[in-house]
Amino acid sequence: LLYERHGEPAAVVQLKDLEVPKLGDSDVHIKMLAAPINPADINMIQGTYPILSPLPAVGGNEGVGEVLEVGRHVTALKPGDWVIPADTGLGTWRTWGVFPEEVLLKVPSDIPVLCAATLSVNPCTAFRMLADFESLVPGDSVIQNAANSGVGQAVIQIARASGIKTINVVRDRPDLPKLVERLMALGADHVITEEMLRKPVMKDIFKSIPRPRLALNCVGGKSTTEMLRHLQPKGTMVTYGGMAKQPVMVPVSAFIFRDVRLRGFWMTQWRKDHAQDQESLAGMMEALCQLIRRGQLTAPACTEVPLQDYRAALEASMKPFVSSKQILLL
C-alpha cells in the first residue's frame, strides 16, 4: 500500500503491484502475514508525525512476517522464522518484502499471529511506562485515560500480571456497559468515565486501593487535569499521546504542594536510545512473549481485514469510539 504524497489516507494510499527486489547477501526475503493500522501510521500518511518516510512510501510501522529466504551472510534468521520490524518506517502494509537483516527482529512463532503483529508498539509502550518511571510493587495502583486503546488494554493486562491495580478512564459512549465488561474481563479493577473523575465515587474507589503513583495520559486537555487530581504526592504522570489535541493543563498547586512530576514517552525514542543495548530489548520481548504464552496478554480487540479492503479499514481506524484495531491480513 503506497502513498506518493501526504494527505487523507483514504485519498492518497493506493494498492500497487511492484517487483520484489533481488536478495542481497545480508538481506532477508519475507512474506508479511498481518499488519495493524495504528494512529502513528495515519499521522505519517497525513504528514503530521515527527518522523516521515521519504516519498513514495509504503504505509505501516508494525506487523509480522515469515522468512522465506535469507542472503548468504545472514546468520541469525532462517526460513520459517517469524520477524517483526526493529524500528519505525519499515512499511509493513505489503505482501512481500526484502529487507536488511538488521532492521528485523526475530519473534517466537508459537504465539498467535495477531499478538505477534501487534507486539512491537502498544505492548512495548505499556511495558516501558509501567517499568521506567515509578518503582511499582504489587498492591500499587495506576490510573490511565484512553483505557480502551491498544496501549490501554496492554497496560491493564501487564499490570494485572504484576499485581498492580488499574483505574481506567474512558469517554462516555452509547455502548459503555459493553466496553466496561470487556475491560473488566481483561483484568481492569475499575472502569470510569471522564465525568466520574470529579464525582464522590472516586472517594469510594480509594477506600479499597491506594491513590495511584503513576498516571498514563494519551488524551490531554481536561481529562488530564482531572486525572492529575487523584495522583499521590510526588507521583508521575507520563504523556504518550494527545488525542484531544489540547495541551496538558496543570494547576500550580499540584506542582508546589504535591510535587507531581510530568514526563513524556515515545517508544521510537526509547528504541533509538537503546539501540546498543540489545539486552533491554530482548528482555522486554521475552517478558511480553511469556505473558502471551501464559494467556495473561492478548492481542487488542481486532477486526481482520483482507488487504484489498484497505480503504474501509483506513476509514474505520479513524472513526471515534472505535475500540477495535484494524488488522490487514496479507
Side-chain angles (χ1 to χ4, degrees):
L1 290 178
L2 206 66
Y3 56 100
E4 294 174 341
R5 60 189 171 89
H6 294 124
E8 279 317 294
V12 299
V13 173
Q14 295 175 314
L15 188 55
K16 290 222 168 152
D17 281 326
L18 303 173
E19 292 222 342
V20 177
K22 238 170 73 97
L23 188 73
D25 288 348
S26 305
D27 289 343
V28 181
H29 182 191
I30 64 172
K31 179 194 182 320
M32 290 302 297
L33 302 173
I37 299 177
N38 289 320
D41 303 329
I42 298 291
N43 296 150
M44 281 176 87
I45 296 164
Q46 290 166 330
T48 59
Y49 203 63
I51 289 181
L52 298 177
S53 301
L55 298 175
V58 176
N61 289 296
E62 187 180 34
V64 63
E66 182 183 338
V67 175
L68 296 177
E69 197 186 348
V70 299
R72 58 198 180 101
H73 294 162
V74 174
T75 51
L77 295 170
K78 62 184 188 308
D81 284 345
W82 279 13
V83 288
I84 62 174
D87 212 342
T88 41
L90 194 67
T92 52
W93 301 348
R94 62 172 88 217
T95 48
W96 318 88
V98 171
F99 302 106
E101 178 184 17
E102 69 267 14
V103 303
L104 301 169
L105 206 59
K106 184 177 167 180
V107 291
S109 54
D110 64 345
I111 60 175
V113 71
L114 293 183
C115 289
T118 55
L119 182 62
S120 65
V121 178
N122 295 163
C124 291
T125 299
F127 185 93
R128 293 267 55 106
M129 292 195 302
L130 287 169
D132 293 354
F133 294 93
E134 288 283 342
S135 308
L136 299 171
V137 296
D140 279 347
S141 81
V142 171
I143 188 167
Q144 65 165 345
N145 54 23
N148 56 309
S149 66
V151 172
Q153 293 173 58
V155 165
I156 290 169
Q157 295 174 85
I158 296 167
R160 180 61 177 265
S162 316
I164 293 158
K165 310 284 185 197
T166 56
I167 302 158
N168 301 280
V169 186
V170 296
R171 286 183 295 176
D172 200 2
R173 64 195 63 214
D175 60 346
L176 185 66
K178 217 159 96 188
L179 176 60
V180 171
E181 194 183 317
R182 197 157 62 71
L183 296 182
M184 296 298 273
L186 287 180
D189 295 281
H190 298 277
V191 182
I192 57 171
T193 62
E194 292 185 339
E195 292 71 30
M196 287 162 76
L197 282 167
R198 288 211 81 127
K199 302 267 167 69
V201 67
M202 296 304 291
K203 283 201 176 73
D204 297 336
I205 288 177
F206 296 129
K207 282 176 188 160
S208 61
I209 65 174
R211 283 182 178 270
R213 288 171 46 197
L214 181 66
L216 305 177
N217 165 46
C218 173
V219 178
K222 203 165 155 223
S223 162
T224 313
T225 315
E226 297 301 342
M227 206 163 59
L228 202 64
R229 288 175 198 282
H230 302 294
L231 206 55
Q232 273 191 34
K234 295 193 187 310
T236 304
M237 184 168 79
V238 182
T239 292
Y240 68 99
M243 282 158 48
K245 296 190 168 52
Q246 289 165 351
V248 170
M249 308 285 275
V250 181
V252 170
S253 60
F255 278 132
I256 299 174
F257 304 118
R258 294 189 18 250
D259 191 17
V260 298
R261 277 178 284 243
L262 264 63
R263 300 287 304 275
F265 182 77
W266 187 27
M267 194 64 221
T268 302
Q269 188 62 47
W270 186 92
R271 285 186 197 283
K272 276 204 187 89
D273 295 346
H274 294 80
Q276 304 310 314
D277 176 10
Q278 286 308 307
E279 270 173 50
S280 288
L281 183 62
M284 169 171 68
M285 287 307 190
E286 182 50 37
L288 290 170
C289 288
Q290 283 290 32
L291 290 174
I292 291 167
R293 285 192 195 100
R294 287 191 211 121
Q296 292 175 304
L297 178 62
T298 56
C302 289
T303 304
E304 298 173 48
V305 185
L307 181 63
Q308 55 271 31
D309 297 341
Y310 72 92
R311 267 211 179 87
L314 286 169
E315 279 163 6
S317 71
M318 295 171 71
K319 285 199 178 96
F321 301 123
V322 172
S323 299
S324 185
K325 195 180 278 291
Q326 304 290 309
I327 304 264
L328 297 168
L329 297 181
L330 308 159

